[in-house]
Every structure is written in C-alpha cells, then in structure tokens.
C-alpha cells in the first residue's frame, strides 16, 4: 500500500514540475514573440504602449505592447489600431497622435474616460511624456517615447 501511495505522490510531483517548466517556457516564448512583433512594427523614433496589467488576469486577449507610428486609435472597435475587448472601453475610446514632433493623447468622448497619470483627461489633447501612465477601462499602460529617448 505504501509503495502505491509513494508512486502516486512521485508522479504527481513530476507532473507539477513538468507543468511549471512548461509555463516558464510559454512565458519566455510569449515575451520573445511580442518583442519580435513590436520590433517588426515599430520604426526608429516612434513610441509604444507597454501593458502594466498581468495578461493572465484579463478575460480577453492582449499584447504586451502596442506600437504607435503617427496615430493610433484605441478602443473596442476592431477597426482600432489598438483593439482592446474590455467591456469598460468605448468603441472609439481615445487616440494618440504625433504633432510637431510630440505625441498627444485625446479622449474621444468615452463613457468611462481616459486617465493620464491617474487624472481624467480633459476634452482637449494633452502632450504625452516618456513613462506617462495611461489607463482605459480596466487596462493600464506605460507610454514609451523613443523620440524623447533619442534626444
């Protein structure tokens, strides 16, 4: 009897270790594939949004980062460059755009609002700075401006 219980515990332990190694390998793969995706879509001198939330806590699919060239619409509409299927997002929630060498964010009349560093965005566009925290619905990002990093 003791041998059977011992064998069962041994197999359960091996299975747990295997699942742990598999989850680590999956996280590494996702991180590398996201970095390659962002590198392929971003050009020198542009910006991107880096996800702050843990993806496993979300009930919808998200990337770790989203590149922004000249303009990016953020929302629940599949036509948005940054599509987020969060129920607290409006279809056309916000947009980030490049003007005179600087990035700006503008809320597009969203129901739940857009937040910059914890404060609700006003009606007019606001200039973004590198490492600003942006929040839409249940999602938070860090804004990374490669143009500021080059200067």
């Amino acid at each position: 009897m003791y041998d059977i219980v011992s064998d069962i515990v041994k197999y359960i332990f091996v299975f747990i270790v295997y699942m742990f190694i598999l989850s680590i390998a999956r996280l590494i793969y996702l991180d590398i594939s996201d970095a390659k995706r962002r590198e392929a879509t971003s050009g020198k001198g542009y910006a991107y949004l880096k996800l702050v939330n843990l993806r496993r806590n979300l009930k919808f699919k998200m990337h770790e980062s989203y590149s922004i060239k000249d303009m990016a619409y953020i929302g629940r509409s599949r036509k948005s460059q940054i599509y987020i299927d969060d129920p607290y997002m409006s279809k056309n929630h916000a947009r980030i755009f490049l003007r005179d060498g600087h990035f700006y964010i503008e809320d597009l009349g969203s129901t739940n609002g857009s937040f910059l560093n914890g404060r609700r965005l006003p009606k007019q566009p606001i200039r973004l700075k590198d490492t600003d925290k942006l929040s839409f619905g249940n999602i938070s990002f860090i804004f990374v401006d490669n143009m500021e990093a080059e200067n």
Side-chain angles (χ1 to χ4, degrees):
M1 181 68 174
Y2 176 76
D3 290 336
I4 294 173
V5 171
S6 174
D7 286 342
I8 290 173
V9 169
K10 195 182 327 177
Y11 287 122
I12 289 173
F13 180 73
V14 168
F15 178 75
I16 290 171
V17 169
Y18 173 76
M19 293 305 292
F20 177 75
I21 292 170
L22 189 64
S23 67
I24 295 295
R26 182 177 177 270
L27 287 173
I28 291 170
Y29 168 77
L30 289 173
D31 195 44
I32 290 170
S33 65
D34 191 65
K36 285 182 179 179
R37 180 190 62 80
R38 193 184 67 208
E39 187 176 291
T41 60
S42 68
K44 187 176 179 182
Y46 292 102
Y48 64 93
L49 296 179
K50 177 74 175 154
L51 184 66
V52 174
N53 303 67
L54 294 175
R55 289 192 310 181
R56 69 175 176 256
N57 295 341
L58 301 173
K59 292 179 175 30
F60 43 87
K61 185 179 176 191
M62 296 260 331
H63 294 291
E64 286 290 328
S65 62
Y66 294 90
S67 297
I68 303 167
K69 297 252 184 200
D70 297 328
M71 185 181 321
Y73 284 90
I74 303 162
R76 219 177 52 228
S77 169
R78 292 208 180 260
K79 295 178 184 176
S80 298
Q81 287 80 13
I82 301 174
Y83 166 69
I84 303 171
D85 196 22
D86 184 343
Y88 295 100
M89 295 277 295
S90 296
K91 285 189 177 189
N92 298 306
H93 200 94
R95 77 176 174 127
I96 296 175
F97 59 95
L98 183 63
R99 183 191 321 153
D100 301 326
H102 301 286
F103 283 96
Y104 291 81
I105 184 163
E106 174 182 34
D107 187 86
L108 300 175
S110 63
T111 304
N112 294 313
S114 302
F115 295 83
L116 173 63
N117 298 320
R119 294 185 174 178
R120 191 177 186 120
L121 285 175
K123 301 242 185 247
Q124 70 272 13
I126 299 290
R127 184 174 163 191
L128 289 169
K129 297 183 300 285
D130 191 39
T131 70
D132 275 342
K133 183 179 178 184
L134 300 171
S135 300
F136 316 99
N138 290 319
I139 307 300
S140 294
F141 295 98
I142 297 294
F143 176 75
V144 179
D145 188 349
N146 291 327
M147 292 176 70
E148 280 189 22
E150 291 174 0
N151 295 332

